[in-house]
Amino acid sequence: MALRSVNPLTLASILTYGYRFPLLQSPFSLPFSRKQPAVKMAATEAERRRDSSETKIIDSHLHIWASPEEAADKYPYFPGQEPTLAGNLDFLIQCMEDASVDGALIVQPINHKFDHSLVTSALKKYPNKFVGCCLANPAEDGSGIKQLEDLVLKDGYQAVRFNPYLWPSGQKMTNEVGKAMFSKAGDLGVPVGFMCMKGLNLHISEIEELCTEFPSTMVLLDHLAFCKPPMNDEEKLAFSELLKLSRFSQVYVKFSALFRVSRMPFPYQDLTPQIAEVVSSFGANRIMWGSDFPYVVPECGYKGAKEAVSLVASQVPLSPTELEWIMGRTVTQLFKGQWLP
C-alpha cells in the first residue's frame, strides 16, 4: 500500500515559529487520508471570525500538587508519591498566562491520591477558570461510589478518572464496583477518563464492555490512549482499536501529553498521521488538546505544549475550525456552562 506523505509546514507557520523541521519518513507510519471535515466551516468569513473570537483556549488535561511548604502545612503528599517537579497552583497560573490559555480541566494527581482537598481549593478559588476531574477509588467495599457522588454533588467535580492500576490485584474495571462507579458517573452526568498507561490493548475489552452496557456515560481517553506511532503489529493493532472506539458516540479523545506518545522531540511531528486518522474517525468535535502540566514543563515548556498542537495540525492539514474545536471548543461543549465568553 502506498504511503501518503504529509504536507510540509506552511510559510506562515515557519515565519511564526522561526524554524522548520524535516518531515518524518518512516516505513512504520500508517497511511491516512483526509475525509470530509467533521465540523463544517462557518458559512461566511465574518461568521468564522466571530466564532474564533469567542473560542477560548482550554487545556483538557493537567495536574497540580502542593509545594513542599503547602504539603507540610495543609496538603500532605501520599506516602511514596512525593513529586520531583514543581506543580503548585501559582506556577500553573503563571504558565497559563504566559501561554494565553484561558482555562483547564484539573485531573486529581496520584501525589495526593484520594485526598482531593488541594484541587478542591483551586476549584473554589478560580471557579471560572478550572473544572475538576476527581480520582475514582475502586476499593472493594464500594466506598468509592459514595465518595464519587460527594465529590460531584458537594465539591463540584465534573469528571472522574479511572486508573486501572489502582484496582485490587487481579480485578478489572468491569468488576462490580467498577460498573457501579461507571454507571453512577453517567447518572451524575460526568465523563469518565481512562488512563491506559501500560497500553490500550490491556484495557480495550473493559472499555468496550463499559461503553456498551452504559451508553449514557461519556468517556475521555487520556493521551491518545497511550498509542505511540506504531512500530510493530501489536502497536498497529492498538491504534486500530482506538479508531474503532469512534463507533461509540460517547467516546472522546484527548490529544494530550504529546511528549509521552511521540517518538520524536518537540514538536512531535511523527504524530501527524495519527491525529489525521483520529480526526477522520472521531471528528474534531470529539478531540481535545491537553498539556499534562507540570510533566510537560521540562520537556518543551507549557507554551510549547500548546504550540506543538498547531504545528502538527498544520501538517495534516486541519482546517481552522477543526483546530478551534481541538484547542477549546470540544471541551467547552462537553462541560456546558463552564468557561463562558
Side-chain angles (χ1 to χ4, degrees):
M1 181 180 295
L3 297 181
R4 180 179 178 180
S5 61
V6 293
N7 293 336
L9 281 175
T10 62
L11 178 61
S13 296
I14 295 170
L15 293 175
T16 299
Y17 295 100
Y19 52 77
R20 66 171 72 233
F21 44 85
L23 290 175
L24 174 69
Q25 297 294 335
S26 168
F28 300 103
S29 297
L30 289 178
F32 64 93
S33 60
R34 296 284 291 126
K35 299 178 183 178
Q36 290 297 318
V39 183
K40 292 183 178 180
M41 291 290 287
T44 66
E45 181 64 19
E47 184 178 356
R48 197 200 69 77
R49 287 198 302 268
R50 182 202 67 197
D51 290 345
S52 178
S53 68
E54 293 176 355
T55 300
K56 292 192 172 186
I57 304 299
I58 306 297
D59 186 340
S60 74
H61 194 105
L62 54 74
H63 310 277
I64 60 169
W65 47 70
S67 66
E69 295 76 18
E70 291 171 327
D73 179 50
K74 193 173 183 181
Y75 305 112
Y77 306 127
F78 188 81
Q81 296 290 347
E82 295 79 6
T84 58
L85 295 172
N88 58 292
L89 179 60
D90 289 342
F91 180 39
L92 170 62
I93 294 293
Q94 184 60 57
C95 288
M96 291 176 67
E97 290 179 354
D98 292 344
S100 299
V101 173
D102 300 297
L105 179 68
I106 302 179
V107 180
Q108 171 70 10
I110 195 64
N111 310 84
H112 295 285
K113 208 165 183 181
F114 302 123
D115 179 359
H116 289 73
S117 55
L118 173 67
V119 173
T120 301
S121 70
L123 302 180
K124 291 180 178 178
K125 187 174 183 179
Y126 296 99
N128 298 320
K129 183 178 288 288
F130 297 124
V131 168
C133 175
C134 60
L135 181 61
N137 180 358
E140 291 183 280
D141 63 3
S143 58
I145 303 168
K146 182 62 163 61
Q147 291 173 18
L148 170 60
E149 189 171 35
D150 288 344
L151 286 165
V152 172
L153 298 180
K154 294 181 180 180
D155 295 322
Y157 285 79
Q158 297 189 44
V160 57
R161 187 181 219 191
F162 274 30
N163 179 342
Y165 317 112
L166 294 178
W167 257 252
S169 179
Q171 297 288 310
K172 293 186 176 182
M173 294 183 289
T174 48
N175 67 1
E176 182 179 355
V177 170
K179 286 188 174 182
M181 287 195 295
F182 194 84
S183 176
K184 175 62 69 174
D187 294 341
L188 295 169
V190 299
V192 173
F194 287 107
M195 185 186 75
C196 304
M197 182 173 284
K198 296 181 181 180
L200 178 61
N201 284 342
L202 295 177
H203 309 292
I204 184 65
S205 62
E206 298 164 79
I207 295 171
E208 289 177 330
E209 182 176 341
L210 291 169
C211 288
T212 299
E213 192 167 339
F214 305 101
S216 64
T217 302
M218 296 296 175
V219 167
L220 309 174
L221 298 174
D222 296 345
H223 314 332
L224 277 177
F226 287 86
C227 290
K228 290 177 175 286
M231 298 286 286
N232 54 50
D233 289 343
E234 182 180 359
E235 292 175 346
K236 289 180 180 178
L237 176 62
F239 186 60
S240 175
E241 294 294 346
L242 167 60
L243 297 180
K244 289 178 183 177
L245 287 174
S246 64
R247 70 187 187 275
F248 297 105
S249 61
Q250 77 228 62
V251 176
Y252 291 71
V253 178
K254 290 185 180 181
F255 190 49
S256 53
L258 305 193
F259 67 95
R260 291 191 186 275
V261 293
S262 174
R263 301 184 188 278
M264 300 179 70
F266 176 88
Y268 316 120
Q269 65 182 90
D270 58 335
L271 298 179
T272 301
Q274 284 178 282
I275 190 58
E277 286 280 15
V278 171
V279 170
S280 291
S281 295
F282 286 86
N285 57 341
R286 289 165 63 191
I287 303 170
M288 58 192 79
W289 160 75
S291 68
D292 203 19
F293 173 94
Y295 298 107
V296 73
V297 173
E299 300 292 335
C300 65
Y302 185 76
K303 188 175 182 180
K306 173 190 169 186
E307 292 174 344
V309 180
S310 296
L311 289 169
V312 171
S314 72
Q315 291 192 54
V316 175
L318 299 181
S319 71
T321 300
E322 287 173 314
L323 185 59
E324 287 170 12
W325 277 98
I326 293 171
M327 297 305 296
R329 197 178 297 180
T330 296
V331 69
T332 301
Q333 288 290 316
L334 187 60
F335 297 97
K336 293 185 183 298
Q338 301 298 318
W339 306 299
L340 296 175

